[in-house]
Amino acid sequence: MFVVGLTGGIGSGKSAVSRLFEAFGVTVIDADQVAREVVEPGEQALDNIAQRFGSDILLSNGSLDRSALRKIVFEEPRQRDWLEDLLHPLIRTRIMLKLEQSNSGYAMLASPLLLETDQHLLVNHILVVDVDVETQISRTVSRDSTDEVQVRAIIAAQMPREERVSKADDLIDNRGNEEQLKIVVEKLHREFMKKAQQDWENDIG
Ligand SMILES: CC(C)(COP(=O)(O)OP(=O)(O)OC[C@H]1O[C@@H](n2cnc3c(N)ncnc32)[C@H](O)[C@@H]1O)[C@@H](O)C(=O)NCCC(=O)NCCS
Ligand SMILES: Nc1ncnc2c1ncn2[C@@H]1O[C@H](COP(=O)(O)OP(=O)(O)OP(=O)(O)O)[C@@H](O)[C@H]1O
């Protein structure tokens, strides 16, 4: 299976790009979504989190208070390390299962931490979606209930933009509008279909 890894910093447009690839029938596995699944009520990891941070970290319906945990982990790197040590192996295992089940021409793994973790070892090709930091901040603040200080803390916890861009096999500049994005994605989809086909032909000899 040919797998494209899609990454970019917070608010760069991974979800917007993913939706466009999905519209072409590509199976997209979203690491943020998987990260939510591994802490659903009934999962061992949620109990571990409640033991460490106290039951105040749960909402009245028993689910994780994500904005409370977000505040803690982006203010205290030690707590973020603990959370990542708990969740990243679970996230990786679940991603691998989903990749095995995927049956589109090629699959895509969309992850903010593709290059920061060993998730990049699961992909054949790296696609980076990129905007300047000011655009990351303004788009994230208008999307989420968060403020600039917190978004800057999250950006600081991620790979610097230049380093991420230097690792890209393909780069999407998402400073334009969504119509422009659609045109770029359509072209990339055609290229990825070709690469997946070549990959398959090489495999069968
Ligand atoms: C801290 C949590 C509870 C905040 O949840 P919330 O619903 O507010 O945000 P969400 O999960 O949708 O993430 C939003 C964005 O934050 C950034 N982000 C999330 N976790 C991290 C991290 N560990 N390091 C750097 N950036 C991160 C990413 O850009 C992500 O797209 C959550 O992000 C989490 O559990 N993070 C640890 C797991 C993880 O590393 N997930 C990233 C995918 S592997
Ligand atoms: N080209 C664009 N023009 C205008 N707004 C955009 C564009 N691309 C994305 N957006 C908007 O910017 C915000 C951030 O985009 P998106 O949610 O796709 O980012 P992301 O990389 O998935 O973020 P995160 O890392 O937090 O998951 C969203 O509200 C989205 O609708």
Side-chain angles (χ1 to χ4, degrees):
M1 165 66 78
F2 187 75
V3 184
V4 176
L6 167 65
T7 192
I10 186 164
S12 57
K14 292 177 298 297
S15 301
V17 169
S18 296
R19 277 193 295 276
L20 292 167
F21 277 102
E22 275 172 335
F24 287 112
V26 179
T27 299
V28 180
I29 296 153
D30 178 348
D32 282 335
Q33 174 58 36
V34 175
R36 270 174 226 128
E37 290 171 14
V38 299
V39 295
E40 270 172 11
E43 294 289 339
Q44 175 64 46
L46 186 59
D47 293 344
N48 298 139
I49 291 170
Q51 270 159 24
R52 183 167 178 103
F53 299 106
S55 54
D56 279 359
I57 206 72
L58 301 178
L59 297 170
S60 55
N61 66 4
S63 66
L64 180 63
D65 184 343
R66 302 184 66 85
S67 65
L69 187 56
R70 186 176 63 203
K71 190 169 176 336
I72 296 172
V73 299
F74 291 110
E75 279 176 7
E76 295 177 58
R78 193 172 58 88
Q79 305 292 14
R80 188 168 65 249
D81 288 346
W82 179 86
L83 185 68
E84 290 182 350
D85 286 348
L86 173 71
L87 298 186
H88 285 177
L90 302 172
I91 293 169
R92 187 178 207 271
T93 303
R94 216 174 261 234
I95 288 173
M96 286 170 72
L97 267 174
K98 285 178 190 272
L99 282 173
E100 276 167 24
Q101 288 161 2
S102 142
N103 57 5
S104 56
Y106 64 94
M108 183 166 279
L109 167 58
S111 174
L113 302 182
L114 184 80
L115 302 170
E116 289 87 338
T117 64
D118 57 6
Q119 287 172 17
H120 66 275
L121 300 174
L122 304 173
V123 308
N124 307 93
H125 194 87
I126 291 170
L127 173 61
V128 171
V129 55
D130 178 63
V131 295
D132 53 281
V133 169
E134 295 312 314
T135 306
Q136 276 182 277
I137 293 169
S138 65
R139 287 184 182 166
T140 305
V141 167
S142 56
R143 185 196 57 187
D144 297 342
S145 57
T146 183
D147 58 28
E148 176 170 346
V149 172
Q150 191 174 61
V151 182
R152 284 198 189 273
I154 296 175
I155 291 172
Q158 299 181 340
M159 183 176 277
R161 183 183 173 202
E162 298 71 25
E163 194 182 345
R164 185 186 299 112
V165 165
S166 76
K167 294 181 188 289
D169 294 310
D170 276 301
L171 185 67
I172 297 179
D173 177 350
N174 188 26
R175 287 171 302 174
N177 61 32
E178 301 212 31
E179 269 311 300
Q180 290 165 307
L181 188 59
K182 202 170 163 185
I183 295 165
V184 176
V185 166
E186 191 166 359
K187 182 168 171 285
L188 284 169
H189 173 63
R190 279 198 299 270
E191 290 173 14
F192 294 156
M193 285 299 274
K194 254 193 234 154
K195 278 192 200 299
Q197 175 73 20
Q198 282 161 3
D199 204 51
W200 182 75
E201 284 167 4
N202 288 342
D203 268 3
I204 60 165

